[in-house]
Amino acid sequence: MDHVVYLDNKSQELAKLLVGSKTMIVRGSMGKKAPYGRVFAQDTLYFITCGSGQVVARGSVRSVLQTPQLCPEETQQILLDHQRQLMLSPVQFQRWANKAYLVLVEVEDVNMVSPFALDRTGFNPLDDWLMVGEIESATAERVMNESLWMDEALVG
């Protein structure tokens, strides 16, 4: 399964992943929201920095830790226990500190790729983690090529 993950520019998440000082990404919510239960070891992650609109890097999921429902103190302790891998800024820590469910995704082999645009049609515009199946099905280039093919089919 391929996933598209939005990273925080201000915290320089992508740069930290690329140099290996950050090896884990966190997502959390008050309910079992994606990627909870839907991301697994060996899945591929494609990274977008917020605001860029283009996929710029790729990595692999090494392992996943999903928590049961937690109280805020438990959530904070888990974040503190994994801070060396997460490298959360104080703002990021506060963002996740009171979530009832956490998904901690350990990543490896993060590398830059030739940038490409993503077609977000069919995805919630507020989501920062998209499960796309195969990345080729969610590229803007694919959508443009299909559109050109349909135009040619209608004309021809």
Side-chain angles (χ1 to χ4, degrees):
M1 169 80 72
D2 293 340
H3 306 262
V4 175
V5 181
Y6 283 75
L7 299 174
D8 182 33
N9 280 345
K10 291 179 186 175
S11 302
Q12 298 181 344
E13 283 188 293
L14 180 59
K16 291 175 185 176
L17 285 168
L18 287 166
V19 299
S21 62
K22 177 183 183 70
T23 59
M24 190 174 277
I25 299 168
V26 64
R27 288 298 183 268
S29 61
M30 295 311 289
K32 293 180 180 179
K33 180 183 169 200
Y36 195 95
R38 298 181 190 145
V39 61
F40 304 96
Q42 307 308 311
D43 283 359
T44 301
L45 305 178
Y46 290 86
F47 300 108
I48 293 179
T49 54
C50 292
S52 77
Q54 290 201 318
V55 172
V56 295
R58 173 180 56 220
S60 298
V61 175
R62 182 175 186 170
S63 66
V64 179
L65 170 67
Q66 299 177 129
T67 68
Q69 187 171 2
L70 304 170
C71 68
E73 294 79 19
E74 293 170 317
T75 300
Q76 292 167 18
Q77 188 59 54
I78 287 173
L79 293 175
L80 289 171
D81 290 346
H82 293 88
Q83 175 61 3
R84 196 176 114 251
Q85 295 132 308
L86 290 166
M87 300 292 293
L88 298 175
S89 69
V91 171
Q92 289 176 305
F93 186 89
Q94 286 306 312
R95 176 181 181 189
W96 305 116
N98 295 310
K99 302 299 182 188
Y101 295 91
L102 293 177
V103 180
L104 299 163
V105 179
E106 187 178 13
V107 298
E108 60 186 1
D109 302 324
V110 178
N111 294 295
M112 297 296 287
V113 297
S114 295
F116 61 91
L118 181 73
D119 174 30
R120 286 195 57 115
T121 304
F123 294 105
N124 181 336
L126 301 178
D127 285 346
D128 63 357
W129 189 292
L130 309 175
M131 293 169 297
V132 297
E134 297 294 327
I135 193 67
E136 291 80 15
S137 68
T139 62
E141 181 177 300
R142 176 207 49 92
V143 172
M144 189 170 70
N145 287 341
E146 283 181 8
S147 177
L148 288 172
W149 177 83
M150 289 186 70
D151 288 347
E152 288 173 7
L154 292 174
V155 171

